């Protein structure tokens, strides 16, 4: 579903990604872990072209992200074409990013109606179904300010699912939540995994990575340091940098 080949990303003189190579299979829950500043979130944002890579190739479902290749060179696609391809990739951010002036239901129906041209009654029925799926059927009329952080994040997940993506990206979805609210969000993500959704999750929740993840990559300083099955990496890390990191977080 995702293939990165020597992906580089710099901001001015600062090289954030230094040649990332990895593959995510369809239906996998792929976890990215590592210290702050290691490039995890930047890489995630490159997958849906919120950030433009400086070198390498990045493919989603066999297609280049944000570019077409001609004569061995990359040519950036027009914004409209990028936006069309981005519809297939759902993204859930740390800070929810809900529209504050819209109810939970309206937040979920907005993109299917505006972007996909779905009829409003159909979009509303789909939104109600998704709210029930994330355990918030009774919160359809509530505005973000009337919801807890965990509830807002579950609405954000429902909003992403409303576009029927083939890939879901989660950028530390529980890091802004109070500890007692984390479990509800992780439960929704577990159910998505059980339904076969391909997910790339930047997370500090090592228990979730161990229980739900199919593959885990430890990143540091813009490179992949170690990768493997989550249980193997978390219980028997081979690289001393991985060992040092895990000794502080486990």
């Amino acid at each position: 579903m995702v293939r990165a080949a020597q992906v580089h990303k710099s901001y001015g003189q600062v090289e954030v990604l230094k040649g990332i190579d990895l593959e995510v299979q369809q239906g996998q829950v792929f976890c990215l872990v590592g210290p702050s500043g290691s490039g995890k979130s930047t890489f995630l944002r490159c997958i849906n072209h919120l950030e433009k890579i400086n070198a390498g190739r990045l493919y989603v479902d066999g297609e280049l992200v944000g570019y077409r290749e001609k004569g061995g060179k990359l040519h950036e696609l027009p914004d409209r074409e990028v936006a069309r391809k981005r519809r297939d990739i759902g993204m859930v951010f740390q800070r929810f990013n809900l529209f504050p002036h819209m109810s939970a239901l309206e937040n979920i129906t907005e993109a299917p109606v505006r972007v996909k041209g779905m009829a409003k009654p159909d979009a509303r029925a789909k939104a109600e179904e998704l709210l029930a799926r994330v355990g918030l059927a009774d919160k359809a009329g509530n505005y973000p300010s009337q919801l807890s952080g965990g509830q807002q994040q579950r609405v954000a997940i429902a909003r992403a699912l409303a576009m029927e993506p083939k890939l879901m990206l989660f950028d530390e979805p529980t890091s802004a939540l109070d500890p007692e609210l984390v479990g509800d969000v992780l439960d929704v993500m577990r159910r998505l995994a059980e339904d076969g959704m391909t997910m790339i999750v930047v997370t500090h929740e090592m228990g979730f990575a161990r229980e739900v993840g199919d593959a885990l990559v430890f990143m540091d300083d813009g490179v992949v340091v170690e990768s493997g099955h989550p249980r193997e990496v978390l219980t028997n890390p081979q690289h001393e940098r991985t060992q040092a990191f895990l000794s502080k977080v486990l």
Side-chain angles (χ1 to χ4, degrees):
M1 180 59 78
V2 178
R3 181 163 70 88
Q6 281 299 296
V7 169
H8 289 256
K9 172 65 183 175
S10 299
Y11 297 101
Q13 299 299 309
V14 180
E15 195 176 16
V16 180
L17 301 177
K18 304 174 181 177
I20 301 294
D21 290 301
L22 56 80
E23 289 189 359
V24 181
Q25 305 304 320
Q26 187 164 355
Q28 269 192 329
V29 178
F30 192 98
C31 297
L32 289 172
V33 304
S36 296
S38 58
K40 310 180 302 294
S41 293
T42 298
F43 177 69
L44 205 69
R45 292 169 67 87
C46 288
I47 293 173
N48 63 359
H49 207 60
L50 287 176
E51 299 286 355
K52 300 173 185 178
I53 64 175
N54 298 109
R57 301 287 189 273
L58 196 47
Y59 301 87
V60 172
D61 203 16
E63 292 190 16
L64 276 171
V65 173
Y67 301 91
R68 61 182 173 82
E69 191 164 1
K70 190 174 181 182
K73 290 187 176 181
L74 292 183
H75 301 270
E76 191 165 8
L77 294 171
D79 289 346
R80 184 182 291 270
E81 184 69 10
V82 172
R84 187 182 65 78
K85 292 194 173 188
R86 196 180 280 146
R87 292 187 305 194
D88 292 330
I89 304 172
M91 187 156 186
V92 178
F93 301 87
Q94 291 181 40
R95 292 282 172 185
F96 328 135
N97 288 11
L98 297 177
F99 299 117
H101 62 290
M102 293 183 180
S103 68
L105 192 78
E106 290 166 341
N107 263 282
I108 297 168
T109 58
E110 181 74 2
V113 171
R114 281 184 179 266
V115 180
K116 282 190 150 182
M118 186 182 285
K120 283 188 177 180
D122 294 341
R124 183 184 177 89
K126 179 76 173 175
E128 289 171 346
E129 176 190 317
L130 287 168
L131 280 171
R133 189 173 172 187
V134 299
L136 294 172
D138 60 335
K139 302 293 183 185
N142 289 48
Y143 289 85
S145 62
Q146 299 169 315
L147 300 171
S148 71
Q151 290 169 338
Q152 289 185 61
Q153 193 62 295
R154 283 186 279 158
V155 172
I157 293 172
R159 180 176 64 177
L161 291 173
M163 293 297 285
E164 299 182 332
K166 54 180 136 182
L167 170 67
M168 284 282 284
L169 309 176
F170 292 87
D171 188 6
E172 297 188 23
T174 59
S175 66
L177 302 179
D178 292 333
E180 67 266 26
L181 303 176
V182 168
D184 290 339
V185 173
L186 293 181
D187 284 344
V188 170
M189 293 170 66
R190 280 189 188 91
R191 291 198 294 274
L192 278 181
E194 289 166 4
D195 291 342
M197 174 63 74
T198 308
M199 299 158 61
I200 303 178
V201 186
V202 173
T203 185
H204 294 297
E205 300 290 341
M206 300 302 162
F208 174 84
R210 184 188 291 110
E211 293 167 37
V212 184
D214 299 300
L216 181 143
V217 157
F218 172 70
M219 285 179 64
D220 187 35
D221 196 28
V223 299
V224 172
V225 176
E226 190 165 343
S227 62
H229 191 278
R231 287 195 184 92
E232 183 62 28
V233 175
L234 294 175
T235 57
N236 188 29
Q238 299 300 300
H239 196 283
E240 64 179 54
R241 181 67 190 92
T242 319
Q243 293 167 4
F245 173 77
L246 291 176
S247 71
K248 291 184 173 72
V249 300
L250 290 177

